[in-house]
Amino acid sequence: MSDIKTLGEFIIEKQSDFPHASGELSSLLGSIKLAAQIVNRELNKAGLVDIIGASGEENVQGEEQQKLDLYANEKFKTALEARDQVCGVASEEDDEAVVFSKELNRNAKYVVLMDPLDGSSNIDVNVSVGTIFSIYRRVTPVGTPATEEDFLQAGKHQVAAGYVIYGSSTMLVYTTGNGVHSFTYDPSLGVFCLSHEDMRIPEDGKIYSINEGNYIRFPLGVKKYIKYCQEYVPEENRPYVSRYIGSLVSDFHRNLLKGGIYLYPATATHPNGKLRLLYECNPMAFIMEQAGGVASDGINRILDMEPTELHQRVPFFAGSPVMVNHVEKFIADFSDEE
Ligand code: P6P
């Protein structure tokens, strides 16, 4: 048992990484861990109880909400409010940010932005899904209600970010700006155990993850890059590998471990791409950069982008530096021929 290090122990051990927090950030991460355990339990029962399928509601994106989307959304918000470290939460599932009114929460230092259950349309077919979260220090005075200004911060100001992947095993991966660390849930012990400290993505890779069904709608440079991946077969190397699960957290996590690139470009139907800047691209970009990777919209660094609205979308390219730089060059070289 002595070689097992739990998430709680690791956070305390790394407490010095965020001196200003003096325990609040640790407590905040602890509330996310608790909510992830609760959601994980319900996901594992999905199909056995009436909690899969559509809720009959739509979110602000016009996307059909799954029952588990709403369940996860409520569980994470409840857990975050209870620990008094958070003054508000913005979620993919809520039109507006939720500002907590209790005095203890008004006096809290942090706001959280999250996609409580990304890829949830995959639940019915038993494909991995995930939770994505992003944590900022508030910019408005402590003691006052949080405002939109607290949520519309550039990704480079995040103090922590992470994701939970509910897959063949349940893992929590996070960064506080001092490397990326992953923990695997052991249901027999009810704890997340350190499985990989300071994860690093390979500099180059062969896996490209994109929905090629949108090919005709892609910018010319992206089309040229896909063709390159399909047709480049040098003697000594295997050709590129196309892997696309349709669940961002799953594709991202595999590429982080093996090397690769995830691409969600602008398309005719999604002129700004499909993924949301604040609670999908920013946290994933923070993690990717902390692991030695790159994340851009094809031209600009994701973490430098100044948000203008809560649910804004951006094109998203994230992965091994050599691969992201390669597709960015194709985009630049063919930008005049759109
Ligand atoms: P498409 C899930 O809806 C999601 O936001 C990501 O998890 C996933 O990578 C992407 O959208 C899939 O989108 O258009 O390829 O089905």
Side-chain angles (χ1 to χ4, degrees):
M1 280 292 280
S2 60
D3 60 347
I4 291 178
K5 186 172 291 182
T6 68
L7 174 59
E9 290 164 339
F10 187 84
I11 290 171
I12 289 167
E13 181 185 292
K14 299 291 181 180
Q15 187 70 58
S16 57
D17 287 348
F18 23 90
H20 316 295
S22 64
E24 291 102 329
L25 196 54
S26 314
S27 172
L28 202 174
L29 287 170
S31 58
I32 290 173
K33 172 175 73 77
L34 174 63
Q37 287 170 297
I38 294 170
V39 170
N40 178 63
R41 182 188 62 197
E42 291 311 303
L43 276 170
N44 288 342
K45 290 190 291 189
L48 298 175
V49 295
D50 177 28
I51 198 161
I52 60 173
S55 67
E57 307 288 327
E58 275 191 355
N59 63 18
V60 66
Q61 336 284 342
E63 293 166 345
E64 192 173 48
Q65 289 179 304
Q66 305 296 311
K67 291 175 187 169
L68 269 168
D69 280 328
L70 300 177
Y71 179 85
N73 197 36
E74 292 313 310
K75 287 304 172 191
F76 275 97
K77 286 192 289 187
T78 302
L80 288 166
E81 182 176 20
R83 291 282 182 98
D84 305 333
Q85 309 306 342
V86 173
C87 55
V89 174
S91 166
E92 181 191 67
E93 302 306 333
D94 296 320
D95 298 2
E96 307 292 332
V98 175
V99 175
F100 297 140
S101 56
K102 284 193 340 232
E103 184 179 359
L104 278 174
N105 293 102
R106 284 205 312 276
N107 292 332
K109 283 183 189 171
Y110 299 100
V111 293
V112 174
L113 298 97
M114 67 177 181
D115 183 353
L117 207 59
D118 179 73
S120 54
S121 55
N122 291 307
I123 291 168
D124 297 4
V125 293
N126 204 18
V127 166
S128 301
V129 293
T131 295
I132 307 171
F133 61 90
S134 170
I135 303 172
Y136 290 87
R137 197 168 283 108
R138 69 181 300 176
V139 293
T140 55
V142 168
T144 63
T147 71
E148 191 173 58
E149 189 185 354
D150 293 308
F151 297 95
L152 295 184
Q153 299 186 52
K156 60 191 171 191
H157 299 309
Q158 292 174 95
V159 293
Y163 58 85
V164 182
I165 180 169
Y166 308 98
S168 49
S169 66
T170 295
M171 298 188 75
L172 188 149
V173 178
Y174 85 94
T175 183
T176 57
N178 293 279
V180 177
H181 315 296
S182 75
F183 298 80
T184 302
Y185 185 56
D186 180 336
S188 68
L189 298 174
V191 293
F192 282 91
C193 301
L194 180 65
S195 42
H196 196 151
E197 185 172 356
D198 199 16
M199 298 171 79
R200 305 291 294 173
I201 188 169
E203 187 73 11
D204 196 356
K206 290 185 168 53
I207 298 172
Y208 66 101
S209 307
I210 188 168
N211 181 347
E212 298 192 36
N214 293 325
Y215 179 83
I216 56 166
R217 301 184 183 129
F218 288 151
L220 182 57
V222 174
K223 288 180 179 176
K224 293 286 188 184
Y225 179 72
I226 293 172
K227 279 292 169 210
Y228 168 84
C229 292
Q230 290 169 341
E231 295 168 1
Y232 176 70
V233 188
E235 290 311 313
E236 70 281 6
N237 294 333
R238 286 185 57 231
Y240 284 87
V241 175
S242 174
R243 287 283 185 276
Y244 191 68
I245 298 171
S247 174
L248 168 61
V249 172
S250 305
D251 283 313
F252 184 97
H253 187 71
R254 180 206 50 244
N255 293 353
L256 184 61
L257 290 168
K258 294 181 177 288
I261 182 172
Y262 174 96
L263 310 91
Y264 209 105
T267 66
T269 50
H270 287 93
N272 292 317
K274 176 182 181 184
L275 301 186
R276 271 61 56 138
L277 172 61
L278 287 176
Y279 40 79
E280 290 174 326
C281 301
N282 271 340
M284 298 310 249
F286 188 19
I287 292 165
M288 184 53 75
E289 289 197 2
Q290 282 290 311
V294 171
S296 80
D297 66 356
I299 301 167
N300 309 295
R301 181 186 181 227
I302 289 289
L303 294 183
D304 287 338
M305 300 178 82
E306 289 297 338
T308 54
E309 49 188 83
L310 210 50
H311 300 288
Q312 75 183 79
R313 301 172 192 264
V314 289
F316 188 58
F317 301 80
S320 298
V322 169
M323 298 184 84
V324 177
N325 295 337
H326 199 184
V327 70
E328 288 175 342
K329 185 173 185 322
F330 273 99
I331 291 170
D333 290 351
F334 294 95
S335 58
D336 300 339
E337 299 177 45
E338 296 298 349

